[in-house]
Amino acid sequence: MSVVGIDLGFQSCYVAVARAGGIETVANEYSDRSTPACISFGPKNRSIGAAAKNQIISNAKNTLQGFKRFHGRAYTDPFVQAEKPGLACELVELPTGSAGIKVMYLEEERNFTIEQVSGMLLTKLKETAESAMKKPVVDCVVSVPCFFTDAERRSVMDATQIAGLNCLRLINETTAVALAYGIYKQDLPAPEEKPRIVVFVDLGHSAYQVSVCAFNKGKLKVLATAFDPLVGGRKFDDVLVNYFVEEFGKKYKLDIKSKIRPLLRLAQECEKLKKLMSANASELPLNIECFMNDIDVSGSMNRGHFEEMCDSLLSRIEAPLRSVLEQAKLKKEDIYAVEVVGGATRIPAVKERIMRYFGKEVSTTLNADEAVARGCALQCAILSPAFKVREFSITDLVPYPISLKWNSPAEEGLSDCEVFPKNHAAPFSKVLTFYRKEPFTLDAYYSAPKELPYPDPSLGQFHVQKVVPQADGSSSKVKVKVRVNVHGIFSVSSASLVEIHKTEEGEEPMETDQTVKDEEQKMQVDQEEPKQEESQPAQTESKPSADEMETSQATPKEKKTDQPPQAKKAKVKTSTVDLPIDHYPPWQIGRDTLNLFVENEGKMIMQDKLEKERNDAKNAVEEYVYEMRDKLSCVYEKFVNEDDRNSLMLKLEDTENWLYEDGEDQPKQVYIDKITDLKNLGQPIQMRYQEYVDRPKAFDELGKQIQLYMKVIHAFKNKEEAYDHLDPADMEKVEKCINEAMEWMNNKMNLQMKQNLTVDPVVKTKDIQAKTKELTSTCNPIVSKPKPKVEPPKEEQQAGEQNGPVENNTDGQGPQAAEQSPNTGTSEAEKKLPEMDIE
């Protein structure tokens, strides 16, 4: 089972995997652990990652980056409209009202949803993980910013499905960082002791997030989060871009913003300059050749001036830091450490502001770029049965308060209730009890729209169906379970109708109280709840009416109070009926549409694969042309006559010209046919060269075998003891075989020496190897025949019996450790053929 964590970043993505040795961030095909969040569309295929980043300037309108911020947003969203002018690609409104991207793909206009685009990027990251792990990847944990709303989280979940991934959890980036920090700590306080409080500051390319977490041995609890989605590394880049746009406009009379390509080039250079200034306080140059209208431009910047220009951005660093402490009701002295991650925290002024606020040095023990991906992989390992991980529980929180509203006939209007207050523990479930005679609708919404970095506070409508009154016409009791799941997504997970059946006097119902207890227990127990959560139940009692609504946390507690005395004596039987719930989230992709997107992604993957194979075939032709032309005037020169070389050189030159003209864009089979034609001419030359290299080695091996067997024949004729048991007739056969082999070898060597190197050899290496094998198979069974065992004389045998069987040899080996030949004393291991050196 694969265990993969994916940091789906705004600018760069990282993939971490769990292996036996721990967590490892894997590298892509360019040996780079960072994969750009970039996709480029072309007339034949898509490029994703580093290959797409290289096309940002050359294929600006069809190259997408920074699309993460548009998840789950409408085209008319003020945030989308504000970002639109700075984009090279074209944003469009899709039929659903959501934001989409228009590109030219396969030479036709195509509109893609943000989910499809993110799905493409996830497909690439999935391939990177698979190539690193050498096995299929399905299960994963993906990170999202802690301020993502319900709609944005649902959108990311859809993207993972399009990529063919099973997302076990959407984890907040700051929570992933906290997990990566805490799970390795051996010195955390015991569960009953005061927790260690750590603040995590994540300032990435697009957003600023802060969380404060409490650590005890084996558990982590997020106490509060704060954020500023409009502060990030890209905003610091924009400050530089705007400065140089103005400067170059005055200095060189250039209207840079009128054209997208020079603007993109300037943005790239400004990002590099920003990184250099983080490490160097001196004046640094910025030079761009042929920038615009064939004009070279140059400028300079130093850290001091840069920090002055960024003062308005830097002043926003403190507010989220203050906010988390206020929410968690903590003082600065309570903070054990301040951990910083994210690329933009490398800016010295940012670190300085954080240190100044907390009055202590910031800690950089975590990898600023890879900490999120490592935390995701750790969470995936915890959720996976394939890995045994140290026990570590994670309690996250609900970032925005969530309320429900509904029509209340008793109060003749709308009623509402806050089911999850801000910073409530998550994942968590609560059970609400309604009294209804007919189906009803619950509207879920964020009850603090001012805190929301999203224009629409609605979470969608939940229609509870098939509600009917009791048999006596009274209102039915409907239990509704609401939940914030592991992904941070709100839902009405189930609803059930409690039916009351009255029994005849004298009948003893079999399952009265027990049934009620079991059913309530079944409804209220929720496995994913954090057991350590101690927040108070939101129990509300209103006046007894047909529309009474109660709420309780989903915990296995039974309350049998507030019942009239006669109710306890009444003989009633209750049963529960599950009710269907229709849900209409604002931007959720329908199942049919999602299946269509999955199918389209599969087609695009196949198109990319076919294009890669076509390019590989084309490159193989080009490679063969260059390699063969080089070797014809070098190592192959002696093995081809002048006419053949000239003919082949001409053919190679024609093929090269064809490649850069008509052969620039041909089907894969055309390239295969081309290389086959070339190899038909080049293969004989390559074969002659290879035979020239390999043949002497093969003759050498045959000669060694001949000399080896000749030595055995000589020893047999001298009647040496090692070979005196061999049959003379067999040895004559060996001698005849050796003589034939020697005559064959000498004959072939003489013929080959007379043969010109430009023609095919008289004898090939495989023929010589076959001769060697034939000689060995004939002679070896004869000369390696073991000596027969001879029984010892009778008197020796009797003496051995008197002494008893040998239990142990003096060398500690068994009696058959080395069988001795009775006559010669030669062991089986020593009977191998003697080796000899050939001069």
Side-chain angles (χ1 to χ4, degrees), residues 167-294:
C167 182
L168 300 178
R169 177 170 188 170
L170 282 185
I171 189 169
N172 291 332
E173 289 168 357
T174 47
T175 308
V177 171
L179 175 59
Y181 170 87
I183 199 167
Y184 294 109
K185 297 290 180 188
Q186 300 290 337
D187 58 344
L188 293 176
E192 66 278 0
E193 294 177 13
K194 186 180 178 182
R196 178 181 296 176
I197 308 297
V198 181
V199 171
F200 296 93
V201 180
D202 180 0
L203 185 58
H205 189 69
S206 70
Y208 175 36
Q209 304 171 70
V210 184
S211 73
V212 58
C213 302
F215 290 94
N216 287 91
K217 195 172 182 64
K219 69 176 182 179
L220 136 73
K221 184 176 182 182
V222 184
L223 302 178
T225 60
F227 47 83
D228 189 337
L230 300 178
V231 174
R234 68 191 185 105
K235 292 297 182 184
F236 290 93
D237 295 345
D238 289 346
V239 168
L240 285 174
V241 169
N242 292 332
Y243 171 79
F244 284 113
V245 162
E246 190 178 337
E247 183 179 319
F248 294 159
K250 291 176 183 175
K251 192 173 177 182
Y252 300 101
K253 303 292 185 287
L254 295 174
D255 183 11
I256 297 169
K257 289 195 173 180
S258 64
K259 293 185 179 177
I260 194 66
R261 286 187 181 181
L263 195 60
L264 290 170
R265 282 187 71 190
L266 181 60
Q268 287 181 343
E269 294 301 321
C270 285
E271 187 184 354
K272 292 176 189 173
L273 182 63
K274 177 191 71 176
K275 291 176 180 177
L276 286 171
M277 283 192 291
S278 295
N280 198 324
S282 61
E283 191 85 11
L284 295 171
L286 182 140
N287 301 311
I288 310 175
E289 294 181 356
C290 294
F291 176 60
M292 190 176 178
N293 304 338
D294 293 332

Side-chain angles (χ1 to χ4, degrees), residues 300-343:
S300 64
M301 178 60 65
N302 62 59
R303 190 194 291 173
H305 188 197
F306 175 56
E307 288 176 0
E308 284 176 23
M309 293 192 298
C310 295
D311 190 58
S312 60
L313 281 174
L314 294 169
S315 64
R316 296 168 71 167
I317 297 292
E318 193 177 309
L321 303 176
R322 188 185 304 109
S323 175
V324 283
L325 293 187
E326 288 173 358
Q327 289 177 54
K329 296 181 174 59
L330 295 169
K331 298 175 184 175
K332 294 176 186 177
E333 303 81 60
D334 300 330
I335 306 303
Y336 175 83
V338 180
E339 285 283 339
V340 296
V341 295

Side-chain angles (χ1 to χ4, degrees), residues 373-385:
R374 293 175 67 82
C376 291
L378 281 165
Q379 174 66 87
C380 195
I382 290 168
L383 296 173
S384 166

Side-chain angles (χ1 to χ4, degrees), residues 344-572:
T345 55
R346 294 188 176 100
I347 298 172
V350 171
K351 278 187 186 173
E352 187 189 327
R353 296 282 177 125
I354 298 168
M355 285 191 289
R356 194 191 307 163
Y357 180 76
F358 287 105
K360 63 172 68 182
E361 287 288 323
V362 296
S363 177
T364 54
T365 56
L366 295 169
N367 185 309
D369 299 315
E370 299 171 12
V372 174
R374 293 175 67 82
C376 291
L378 281 165
Q379 174 66 87
C380 195
I382 290 168
L383 296 173
S384 166
F387 276 79
K388 188 177 180 182
V389 185
R390 185 182 298 131
E391 286 292 323
F392 205 84
S393 70
I394 303 162
T395 306
D396 214 322
L397 51 75
V398 179
Y400 315 108
I402 299 173
S403 294
L404 286 176
K405 61 183 175 183
W406 61 91
N407 269 320
S408 175
E411 297 176 13
E412 297 179 354
L414 286 174
S415 294
D416 62 8
C417 172
E418 186 173 87
V419 284
F420 291 106
K422 183 180 174 70
N423 292 340
H424 190 287
F428 210 87
S429 295
K430 291 186 179 183
V431 175
L432 313 174
T433 303
F434 293 87
Y435 292 87
R436 289 287 186 276
K437 294 180 180 178
E438 58 188 18
F440 60 99
T441 299
L442 297 172
D443 279 320
Y445 64 99
Y446 289 119
S447 46
K450 289 181 181 177
E451 296 178 17
L452 211 61
Y454 193 82
D456 185 7
S458 174
L459 294 176
Q461 291 184 329
F462 299 87
H463 299 288
V464 182
Q465 306 286 354
K466 296 188 179 177
V467 180
V468 293
Q470 293 294 321
D472 60 1
S474 62
S475 296
S476 296
K477 186 177 183 180
V478 181
K479 293 198 167 189
V480 175
K481 183 192 273 190
V482 294
R483 176 157 186 76
V484 173
N485 64 16
V486 289
H487 310 302
I489 295 172
F490 175 85
S491 65
V492 174
S493 56
S494 65
S496 59
L497 180 77
V498 181
E499 291 183 338
I500 300 171
H501 308 282
K502 292 184 179 178
T503 59
E504 293 291 331
E505 187 71 28
E507 269 190 39
E508 282 296 326
M510 295 294 292
E511 302 177 280
T512 50
D513 291 346
Q514 186 62 39
T515 305
V516 176
K517 185 174 181 179
D518 287 349
E519 288 297 339
E520 290 196 3
Q521 184 106 344
K522 182 180 175 186
M523 279 298 301
Q524 293 177 349
V525 171
D526 183 50
Q527 297 298 327
E528 293 183 90
E529 271 177 34
K531 292 178 183 176
Q532 71 273 22
E533 181 56 39
E534 297 176 356
S535 52
Q536 293 297 315
Q539 186 81 17
T540 64
E541 292 288 342
S542 55
K543 56 186 178 182
S545 70
D547 292 293
E548 184 181 1
M549 190 280 286
E550 304 166 358
T551 73
S552 64
Q553 291 179 359
T555 51
K557 293 179 182 177
E558 283 302 312
K559 294 194 177 182
K560 297 284 182 180
T561 58
D562 300 333
Q563 291 186 4
Q566 65 272 22
K568 292 182 182 179
K569 294 176 185 177
K571 294 177 181 179
V572 294

Side-chain angles (χ1 to χ4, degrees), residues 692 695 699 746-757 759-764:
Y692 180 78
R695 194 168 49 245
F699 272 134
N746 291 333
N747 180 37
K748 295 297 182 185
M749 287 179 79
N750 289 332
L751 287 172
Q752 186 57 45
M753 286 176 69
K754 297 174 186 176
Q755 185 82 326
N756 195 319
L757 291 176
V759 295
D760 289 351
V762 173
V763 61
K764 293 184 178 179

